[in-house]
Amino acid sequence: MMEHFIAPEAVVFTAAWVLMLLIGMIEAVGLGSSGLDLDLDLDSGLLDWLGVGRVPLLVLLVAFLAVFGGVGLAGQQGAQAMTGALLSPWIAVPAALVVALPLTSAVARLLACLLPRDETTAFEVDDLVGRTGIVTVGRAAAGSPARTRVLDPHGQPHHVLVEPNDPADSFVEGDTVLLVRREGPSFRAILHSSPRLTDWMEI
């Protein structure tokens, strides 16, 4: 059986599997990056069809090596069973490529559904308007903002300067406020009427 894997007609497929295993081992010990970034033209029809952009490039490479190696070795085994001899690599390799490419595309589509997607936590500062926060440092009065802790829509905490929207009001540490508008580097806020219904988490 081992002779089948190391035969000159099949060694290219065995090498594909060995490379696949090496990449997997490198990833397992944290020396690689599944987000391998290469300068590729993602507008290419072939690359898009293969799944570049839907899954990390290194994952796609591992999938191709696994499929290519498996198809090639299975093909050579089938050829030997039927004819008693292995196919010439000049025939086996192109044939395996023809079969492996569409299979790799199918695997990429499946993996795209299974792999977790990256979620961006980017947001605009103005997105904090309408959020609630807790005054953490200082006393907020007209012309004298206080430091306030606010959670953005992704649950990330931010500390901003807040002044009362009504100049006659003031906030002290521990007050729950609702940001109603942004004005320059600071926000205007009002006391939150229903602190139990806030969108912030307890510090």
Side-chain angles (χ1 to χ4, degrees):
M1 184 67 177
M2 182 59 67
E3 292 78 9
H4 175 74
F5 288 96
I6 61 176
E9 296 86 353
V11 70
V12 65
F13 306 118
T14 303
W17 270 11
V18 171
L19 181 57
M20 173 197 70
L21 293 175
L22 287 175
I23 293 174
M25 291 171 59
I26 291 172
E27 285 292 292
V29 298
L31 297 179
S33 172
S34 60
L36 182 65
D37 185 19
L38 295 178
D39 187 13
L40 296 175
D41 181 8
L42 296 182
D43 292 331
S44 168
L46 176 60
L47 293 178
D48 184 62
W49 174 70
L50 282 175
V52 174
R54 289 197 295 265
V55 296
L57 187 56
L58 201 56
V59 172
L60 187 63
L61 176 60
V62 168
F64 169 74
L65 291 172
V67 173
F68 175 71
V71 167
L73 291 171
Q76 288 290 41
Q77 188 173 18
Q80 188 174 44
M82 290 187 294
T83 67
L86 299 175
L87 292 173
S88 165
W90 295 104
I91 298 175
V93 171
L97 281 173
V98 169
V99 177
L101 288 177
L103 286 179
T104 301
S105 178
V107 170
R109 287 195 294 270
L110 177 62
L111 291 176
C113 297
L114 299 178
L115 291 176
R117 300 179 183 273
D118 293 334
E119 294 185 3
T120 179
T121 56
F123 79 106
E124 297 290 336
V125 176
D126 288 338
D127 290 344
L128 294 179
V129 173
R131 312 292 294 179
T132 55
I134 299 177
V135 178
T136 57
V137 179
R139 176 179 179 275
S144 179
R147 188 177 176 86
T148 301
R149 182 179 185 272
V150 185
L151 294 186
D152 67 25
H154 303 287
Q156 300 300 315
H158 301 271
H159 291 86
V160 298
L161 296 177
V162 168
E163 295 183 34
N165 191 53
D166 185 342
D169 290 338
S170 64
F171 311 136
V172 296
E173 293 179 13
D175 280 347
T176 301
V177 297
L178 174 68
L179 276 59
V180 295
R181 62 190 175 93
R182 182 186 176 198
E183 189 170 301
S186 62
F187 289 84
R188 296 294 184 267
I190 60 175
L191 278 175
H192 201 293
S193 58
S194 302
R196 293 183 181 180
L197 302 179
T198 61
D199 49 29
W200 49 270
M201 296 183 293
E202 199 68 41
I203 297 176

